[in-house]
Amino acid sequence: MIVKYYLNLDSDNNLFCQIIDENIKESINMKYNVDPKTWNYNNQKISGNDLHFFTLKNFESYLFNRYYDLQKLGKEKILESLKAEALCLLKDSGIVDISKNVFNFYADKFSLNRYDKYIQAFEKFTGLRQKDYKVEIIDYILHFHTNNEIYEMDTYAGKSLMLKEIVQNKRYFDIVELTEADIWSEIYDENIGKHKFLSKMSNEFEICLNDNFRRTGIFIGPNESLENRKNEIRKMFQKFIDQSKRNTNWIDLAWNINEEILYPLAVITMVSIFDLQVCCLEYCELNFYDQNEEWKSICFDDDLENDDNDQVFYIRIFK
């Protein structure tokens, strides 16, 4: 299946989504008016500055997931079913409903708090009402855009799920961009033996060079061949081995030598030696409580705040 977006300039709500499977095509009116000046006609995408940039990415992922679900169930006329589901998601407030309903789909699937709970928490914290802000959903995080500030809201469950996804899928770029090296460094336990860590990381390194190299987003320069890039990475890994000592903090060493590849490899290695769930919970605790008190907690029952992290929302000014 192919999913793409296009503008119909003859329509007031000019953004459409087209789903294609072999010779079958279905178009969905997204009930959203895009300023043509912000539309990238080459890539057929809205600007990253548009509030619904991530909404469309999430919607696209949803369509693919549902396509494969329906395919497994042996459904006929899958595209017609997908279009009908999409129209239900859009039925009240258009693309805003898409954003909320797709989020709730994943919230129910992964036992996260639903969209309305985040809204209630935000309004409790700020005293604002719906007319005073707009919501942007980025994976499992909500951004609230007000006249003066952008607030970021997260939870233990949402952060843990994001961490598990990027580590298990070996998404090197996201590990670099979406996580803090200082936190992984603090989680690191110096009792991991040198032989054990290097043996496991060597296996991950081979996966990187062979099975996983192309899909991780590792950058290859315009004048650089794939083999030359691999040789360069081999030299960096050898430097990592040469500089390792008995009491080395592997996360710090990897970051100092190469943050693009060695650092995510070291993180993946560490959590594979430890328990991933435990590492994610430790990460959340350090992130929400030890980051210069940036995060403020919100809960609906004060007695829960110290006992049930799943019922607590965390909010800060987005930097």
Side-chain angles (χ1 to χ4, degrees), residues 46 59 152 164 181 184 190 213 248 264-265 298:
I46 59 173
F59 180 57
E152 178 181 14
K164 289 176 185 176
W184 290 124
E190 293 185 2
F213 192 82
T248 295
L265 277 176
I298 310 165

Side-chain angles (χ1 to χ4, degrees), residues 10 30 38 59 64 72 74 86 114 120 124 136 138 143 184 201 257 266-267 271 293 296 302 308 312:
D10 295 327
M30 299 299 293
T38 67
F59 180 57
F64 277 114
K72 289 176 183 176
R114 301 188 105 231
Q120 291 174 33
K124 177 182 178 180
E136 178 183 25
I138 305 174
H143 285 186
W184 290 124
M201 188 162 170
I257 294 176
V267 170
V271 301
E293 299 184 349
K296 307 298 181 184
D302 292 337
D308 189 354
V312 182

Side-chain angles (χ1 to χ4, degrees), residues 55-189:
T55 299
L56 298 182
K57 289 185 65 176
N58 293 341
F59 180 57
E60 187 173 339
S61 296
Y62 168 84
L63 289 174
F64 277 114
N65 286 333
R66 290 297 297 144
Y67 175 84
Y68 292 120
D69 287 344
L70 294 171
Q71 201 175 47
K72 289 176 183 176
L73 292 171
K75 294 286 186 179
E76 297 181 355
K77 298 182 179 179
I78 291 178
L79 294 196
E80 288 185 17
S81 297
L82 282 178
K83 181 176 180 177
E85 288 187 16
L87 292 176
C88 286
L89 294 176
L90 284 158
K91 63 181 179 181
D92 294 324
S93 303
I95 200 168
V96 174
D97 270 356
I98 280 278
S99 185
K100 176 178 70 176
N101 292 330
V102 170
F103 182 86
N104 283 339
F105 172 81
Y106 290 109
D108 293 342
K109 183 176 181 179
F110 297 116
S111 300
L112 307 178
N113 282 291
R114 301 188 105 231
Y115 178 88
D116 287 344
K117 276 289 188 180
Y118 286 80
I119 300 301
Q120 291 174 33
F122 178 73
E123 292 186 353
K124 177 182 178 180
F125 180 80
T126 62
L128 297 175
R129 292 296 175 258
Q130 192 168 358
K131 63 182 178 59
D132 301 318
Y133 61 86
K134 293 182 179 179
V135 183
E136 178 183 25
I137 299 175
I138 305 174
D139 294 326
Y140 310 113
I141 297 174
L142 270 66
H143 285 186
F144 294 85
H145 296 248
T146 70
N147 288 334
N148 301 316
E149 303 284 1
I150 300 175
Y151 293 87
E152 178 181 14
M153 185 178 288
D154 205 349
T155 62
Y156 262 61
K159 179 69 74 179
S160 293
L161 184 57
M162 182 274 289
L163 293 171
K164 289 176 185 176
E165 285 185 356
I166 64 176
V167 169
Q168 289 175 330
N169 293 316
K170 306 183 191 299
R171 286 158 44 186
Y172 300 170
F173 178 80
D174 286 337
I175 292 173
V176 175
E177 292 295 314
L178 302 180
T179 71
E180 299 290 337
D182 290 345
I183 297 180
W184 290 124
S185 176
E186 193 163 346
I187 292 172
Y188 171 78
D189 186 337

